[in-house]
Amino acid sequence: MAGGINGSNMTDPDRIWNEASVRLRAEIGDGPFSSYIAPSAVRVDSAGQLILVTPTAYARDWVRKNALRRMNELWLGLDGLNRRLDVRCRAEVGSAPPASAVMSGSGSSNVVDAVPRLAALATPTIAPIADGARAVRAAGLQDRLTFDSFVEGQGNAFALAIAKQVASWADGHFNPVFFCGPYGYGKTHLLNAIAWEAQRLRPEAKVVYLTAERFLSTFVKAMQDRSTAAFKESLRSADMLLLDDVQFVGGKASTQEELLSTLTALIEDGKRIVFSADRAPMALTEVEPRLRSHLAAGLTCPVEAGDRELKIAVANNRLKALSALGVVQGEAAPEVLAQLVDRTPGSMRELEGAVNTLAAAAGSRLSAVSVDEASALLGVALRGGPERRITVDEIQKTVADHFTLKQADLLSERRTRSVARPRQIAMYLCKQHTTRSYPDIGRRFGGRDHTTVLHGVRKIEELMAQDDQIARDVEALTRKLRG
């Protein structure tokens, strides 16, 4: 990036970071930027090294894997002193001083602080949502995740209807409402949309949105500061509490106890509660049984993977948003979008990442980009070549042959491990390589319930990280299916 984004170099870290952030947000999308980068701050360590300080180790690892290289490219293109950024989490650096205060030498009061200070991340209380960009950041919400920007399809129509009902403060609601499903298919979007709409309809209400990670870190901080009473009050005075990715509280006894107490208190007071997780409540085996039972007591609402039509609509929607930001001009040809969707078979987040890559590379030439040129521009962002369609029947036959079984065994009622485990692997592969919903997969496996399929998929995901043989079997079967 010779000459920098604006054609001139700077030396003030805050100004450099502010300018680089604008470009980075456009490239990686509002969701990842707001979740992992916006809460971070540029600091300098004792050796004079510029560091991006993230609030958690999880955010640090995500930035290091997905964004640090690009951040340094942007930074070096702007910084007249050719410095590089490293990334660490807050626990590793303690109270490192702001980079601007050290690098300016004089601590000039004219420096504009363009990134949040670490002190703002350590507050033991949780503020309700209010109007304005500052309040949006404080609440952890993303301003683009509203009902207007949510794309409806076959796999999420029921979840969307329930979300709108919750947001309307309608009487006769289920409580709590629990959205579950795989990563990247809209659960966080729905919780954000509920929060925005509920606050719009009742501005005087206290609506609190939290990720489970924020819940955990704030609770731990409150215990360290002996301010748990303030923490409890900030939650239990809410009219609506939304907790995202609740599976992450599993295995943490004191946090689960606090969440259970909060849940019980809010329900007794008639307050609204919304959760999300990657599994149904009773499949959260790491969560203690009493809390699991309370989570399952309301309405469990699956958010399923999208079909091809929905994915094309999502890709179009993302391009329109990028066009409004000035990142692209024109519209992508239908065949370009179709190729992008067909070769990005993962989650909606992966699809948005591929769209972002195309937009950043094409810019004002988007409408002129051909299928071949798009393929060249995207490179490894697309998964190899065009992928042929894999069917449930083909998966069942391939798995049965691999484990020396008959296809009918996978559809039978037999529950011995020699049959049950291959059946779960086949279900997992169906979810990974087809657009079939959990209920549809269940029907294709002898009329099983969708919760059985969900359990099987999650079980294989868990075992792949623990059992080398299972991981090898899944890898071998995937290679066979892809030819």
Side-chain angles (χ1 to χ4, degrees), residues 15-239:
R15 291 180 60 198
I16 297 170
W17 178 239
N18 191 34
E19 188 142 357
S21 294
V22 173
R23 180 68 177 270
L24 191 62
R25 179 190 286 271
E27 290 184 10
I28 70 174
D30 287 342
F33 186 92
S34 298
S35 297
Y36 300 105
I37 297 174
S40 305
V42 176
R43 294 288 185 269
V44 61
D45 66 10
S46 57
Q49 166 73 46
L50 281 174
I51 49 177
L52 182 72
V53 181
T54 62
T56 66
Y58 182 82
R60 175 204 62 199
D61 294 343
W62 187 95
V63 171
R64 187 170 286 159
K65 179 181 179 182
N66 298 284
L68 184 60
R69 180 178 177 181
R70 182 56 179 154
M71 286 164 56
N72 268 302
E73 289 175 353
L74 294 170
W75 188 280
L76 290 170
L78 288 164
D79 186 5
L81 299 178
N82 292 319
R83 294 164 296 192
R84 296 185 67 85
L85 273 178
D86 192 9
V87 59
R88 300 178 206 165
C89 67
R90 189 173 62 200
E92 293 175 312
V93 300
S95 56
S100 57
V102 175
M103 295 300 174
S104 65
S106 61
S108 170
S109 60
N110 293 325
V111 172
V112 177
D113 186 7
V115 290
R117 293 305 184 208
L118 291 180
L121 299 170
T123 175
T125 58
I126 300 159
I129 297 164
D131 293 332
R134 183 183 298 274
V136 171
R137 288 193 295 272
L141 293 174
Q142 300 173 41
D143 52 4
R144 76 183 183 96
L145 301 184
T146 65
F147 285 129
D148 289 339
S149 63
F150 190 87
V151 182
E152 182 177 356
Q154 183 176 355
N156 62 32
F158 176 63
L160 178 59
I162 294 299
K164 288 182 175 179
Q165 180 184 356
V166 174
S168 71
W169 301 95
D171 292 332
H173 62 283
F174 297 97
N175 206 25
V177 171
F178 194 104
F179 294 101
C180 62
Y183 288 110
Y185 286 101
K187 301 187 301 297
T188 294
H189 195 146
L190 286 175
L191 264 66
N192 274 251
I194 291 170
W196 286 121
E197 182 67 3
Q199 193 73 78
R200 185 187 70 82
L201 293 175
R202 284 183 53 184
E204 78 287 354
K206 181 178 179 180
V207 179
V208 175
Y209 167 86
L210 283 171
T211 62
E213 187 178 42
R214 177 83 184 276
F215 178 88
L216 284 166
S217 62
T218 310
F219 179 56
V220 170
K221 177 67 175 174
M223 289 195 297
Q224 292 172 345
D225 295 345
R226 298 185 179 181
S227 58
T228 53
F231 173 81
K232 293 174 188 287
E233 175 58 25
S234 66
L235 290 181
R236 298 182 191 186
S237 60
D239 297 294

